[in-house]
């Protein structure tokens, strides 16, 4: 097998690029981490836990993650409305990556 040549390759066709397209964004990894750590979380609980995120940003981040089938949104028909978020099976498949980031951070924290 010959050596790969960068002139014949494109980052956009890699699995790395696809994964990055799903998890890049200021708060996406934070939301995924929160759901990994706590399982089922309500919107206001998540906002309070993350801190510094606006309602609009959290809402749009959750909608994007739900659209990418990484987060599940469950709405209960009651007054006042109750909505819970959790990782889908696809979202849970990112846990080894998130765990690896946590381990790296613990070992390399300055």
């Amino acid at each position: 097998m010959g050596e790969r040549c960068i002139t014949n390759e494109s980052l956009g066709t890699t699995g790395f690029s696809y994964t990055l397209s799903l998890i890049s964004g200021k708060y996406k990894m934070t939301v995924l981490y929160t759901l990994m750590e706590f399982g089922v979380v309500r919107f206001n609980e998540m906002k309070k836990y993350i801190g510094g995120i606006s309602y609009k940003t959290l809402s749009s981040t959750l909608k994007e993650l739900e659209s990418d089938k990484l987060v599940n949104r469950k709405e209960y028909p009651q007054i006042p409305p109750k909505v819970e978020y959790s990782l889908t099976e696809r979202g849970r498949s990112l846990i080894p990556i998130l765990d690896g980031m946590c381990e790296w951070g613990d070992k390399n924290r300055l």
Side-chain angles (χ1 to χ4, degrees), residues 56-68:
K56 181 180 178 182
T57 300
L58 179 56
S59 179
S60 65
T61 300
L62 286 163
K63 284 178 184 173
E64 287 176 29
L65 291 169
E66 184 182 8
S67 172
D68 291 331

Side-chain angles (χ1 to χ4, degrees), residues 7-80:
T7 58
N8 299 327
E9 303 287 338
S10 170
L11 179 63
T13 62
T14 64
F16 173 81
S17 180
Y18 177 72
T19 303
L20 199 58
S21 76
L22 296 179
I23 64 173
S24 65
K26 186 169 182 181
Y27 289 102
K28 284 186 177 182
M29 290 295 288
T30 304
V31 168
L32 292 169
Y33 170 80
T34 302
L35 294 173
M36 176 188 82
E37 286 294 301
F38 298 101
V40 177
V41 180
R42 294 180 68 177
F43 185 91
N44 286 331
E45 294 172 331
M46 190 176 312
K47 183 179 181 324
K48 183 179 176 187
Y49 176 74
I50 293 172
I53 186 172
S54 70
Y55 287 100
K56 181 180 178 182
T57 300
L58 179 56
S59 179
S60 65
T61 300
L62 286 163
K63 284 178 184 173
E64 287 176 29
L65 291 169
E66 184 182 8
S67 172
D68 291 331
K69 298 182 179 20
L70 297 174
V71 168
N72 182 49
R73 179 181 190 273
K74 184 172 184 183
E75 189 172 341
Y76 295 89
Q78 65 185 49
I79 305 290

